[in-house]
Amino acid sequence: MHFSSIVAAAAIGGAAIVSAAPAASPVDKRATTCTFSGANGAASAKASKAACSTIVLNNVAVPAGTTLDLTGLKSGTNVIFQGTTTFGYKEWEGPLVSVSGTSITVTGASGSVLDGDGARWWDGKGSNGGKTKPKFFYAHSLTTSHINGLTIKNSPVQTFSINGAKTLTMDKITIDGSAGDSLGHNTDAFDIGSSTGVTITGAVVHNQDDCVAINSGSSITFSGGSCTGGHGLSVGSVGGRSDNAVSDVHFLNNKVINSDNGIRIKTVSGATGSVSGVTYSGNTLSGIKKYGIVIEQDYENGSPTGSPTTGVPITGLTMTKNTGSVTSSGTDIYILCGKGSCSNWTWSGNSITGGKQSTKCSNIPSGGAAC
Ligand SMILES: *[C@@H]1O[C@H](CO)[C@@H](O)[C@H](O)[C@H]1NC(C)=O
């Protein structure tokens, strides 16, 4: 990036400095709203972001193979998406958008869409092969921040990667990948790792992989959401990464619809780590194809082995008032624990019906759980 002043960036990039700060406020000398749009909007925003207290991204067309780079924003920056944000096509890892900073608020204006047009990459192989597909949105290293009201359509592959967050709320996020039901794959909505204090409320998701997957972190709540078409509300797989502890997680009052799984905890075979203090309560399942509730300690290279190991204990699990239905070819509940590696579970008021009863459950702890 060449050096350019804000004004130069505005001239080159079609950005407009809409309002300048009243000089009277010594508290915030940067009360400056910058609006970026069109094909040069992303480059201009990257060049000028540190000088703006509000960044408006109005119908930005992000060039192929580049990130809409909103990393390292000044503390207190507001980012507003307006209109349709589009992305050029290239086979690459992404991300298409990246935001980091402290006290950042990212908002989608009414009617705004971030449109990944994932069909250009979708080949049914997701991140396991075929075209290299960009991840959509890195929310990495966000502290005391908010992401509100974004609508993301047709992610090429995984959508939100939330990592290194400390106190992040995400309210009313819509992730609509319904067009990918035949060829979209690994289009996880929210992947969370190494984060503390993440609260996601009222998300509406239609995708083809986990609605939420928590690999590590603590004090994480996902509530009042609706998840359609994917793999459900997941912890894991836990183990085999640099951070392998999950604690104090709450999935509350969500709907999981026409998905492979409803509720899932999976830990990695032969690995070490811990899953403690996870609560699933008040979740409603319908049209679940594989497992209503599945808890298994046998994952290896992304697949179950059928032989659980004990290195990632699942303790302090609370499963209450989860109800709903599994299709007749699916299984209501499957619990595969190693000897002694599941303990201190509370299980009450759950009613999962319609599917088969598993005959392969093992080492179910006391506390009411049953297959
Ligand atoms: C059992 O789990 C609950 C819920 O997470 C927790 O509050 C409690 O401390 C645990 N008890 C023991 C003995 O670990």
Side-chain angles (χ1 to χ4, degrees):
M1 186 53 57
H2 300 287
F3 170 81
S4 55
S5 71
I6 306 164
V7 174
I12 295 162
I17 306 303
V18 172
S19 63
S25 169
V27 178
D28 185 0
K29 285 182 275 186
R30 305 180 301 111
T32 303
T33 295
C34 311
T35 299
F36 304 99
S37 54
N40 292 314
S44 300
K46 181 177 179 180
S48 308
K49 60 192 176 186
C52 310
S53 56
T54 295
I55 296 171
V56 177
L57 300 158
N58 177 45
N59 294 300
V60 169
V62 181
T66 64
T67 299
L68 177 52
D69 183 347
L70 303 169
T71 58
L73 297 175
K74 287 278 173 73
S75 179
T77 301
N78 293 307
V79 176
I80 300 169
F81 285 91
Q82 284 179 351
T84 301
T85 308
T86 61
F87 304 87
Y89 175 77
K90 183 184 177 179
E91 282 195 49
W92 71 305
E93 306 272 341
L96 300 179
V97 181
S98 188
V99 182
S100 69
T102 298
S103 301
I104 307 303
T105 300
V106 179
T107 308
S110 175
S112 67
V113 178
L114 283 72
D115 188 353
D117 192 5
R120 295 173 293 173
W121 288 271
W122 292 334
D123 54 11
K125 296 179 178 162
S127 40
N128 301 321
K131 291 179 177 173
T132 304
K133 303 166 187 76
K135 295 188 181 189
F136 209 121
F137 199 121
Y138 278 11
H140 289 188
S141 306
L142 278 167
T143 300
T144 324
S145 293
H146 309 278
I147 302 177
N148 301 324
L150 288 190
T151 296
I152 297 196
K153 280 183 73 171
N154 299 331
S155 183
V157 69
Q158 292 89 357
T159 312
F160 277 104
S161 167
I162 299 160
N163 202 277
K166 293 191 188 73
T167 312
L168 170 67
T169 65
M170 299 178 73
D171 195 22
K172 294 192 170 64
I173 306 291
T174 298
I175 296 177
D176 179 6
S178 53
D181 277 347
S182 54
L183 286 176
H185 195 62
N186 301 132
T187 52
D188 308 37
F190 300 95
D191 286 332
I192 304 174
S194 303
S195 294
T196 306
V198 177
T199 304
I200 302 173
T201 310
V204 177
V205 173
H206 186 137
N207 68 340
Q208 298 84 26
D209 205 317
D210 294 305
C211 185
V212 188
I214 301 170
N215 296 319
S216 60
S218 64
S219 301
I220 296 163
T221 298
F222 186 86
S223 67
S226 168
C227 302
T228 300
H231 295 177
L233 306 169
S234 302
V235 170
S237 45
V238 180
R241 294 180 168 82
S242 56
D243 193 349
N244 303 299
V246 172
S247 65
D248 188 22
V249 168
H250 301 261
F251 291 96
L252 309 176
N253 305 323
N254 302 290
K255 290 185 169 69
V256 185
I257 302 156
N258 298 343
S259 297
D260 276 7
N261 313 292
I263 288 166
R264 172 159 75 160
I265 301 176
K266 49 183 177 170
T267 66
V268 174
S269 173
T272 56
S274 62
V275 174
S276 62
V278 172
T279 296
Y280 286 89
S281 182
N283 299 291
T284 308
L285 319 180
S286 60
I288 303 301
K289 299 184 193 89
K290 291 185 178 166
Y291 297 103
I293 300 176
V294 52
I295 301 168
E296 54 186 317
Q297 294 182 314
D298 67 335
Y299 257 68
E300 194 175 76
N301 302 324
S303 299
T305 64
S307 302
T309 65
T310 60
V312 188
I314 300 171
T315 61
L317 174 68
T318 302
M319 193 74 69
T320 55
K321 297 181 185 161
N322 300 292
T323 60
S325 61
V326 174
T327 61
S328 58
S329 57
T331 299
D332 290 337
I333 297 171
Y334 177 49
I335 299 169
L336 190 76
C337 290
K339 198 165 194 310
S341 50
C342 294
S343 63
N344 186 23
W345 289 14
T346 300
W347 193 291
S348 67
N350 304 292
S351 171
I352 309 294
T353 60
K356 292 183 266 211
Q357 189 175 7
S358 178
T359 55
K360 294 179 186 160
C361 295
S362 71
N363 298 305
I364 300 175
S366 61
C371 279

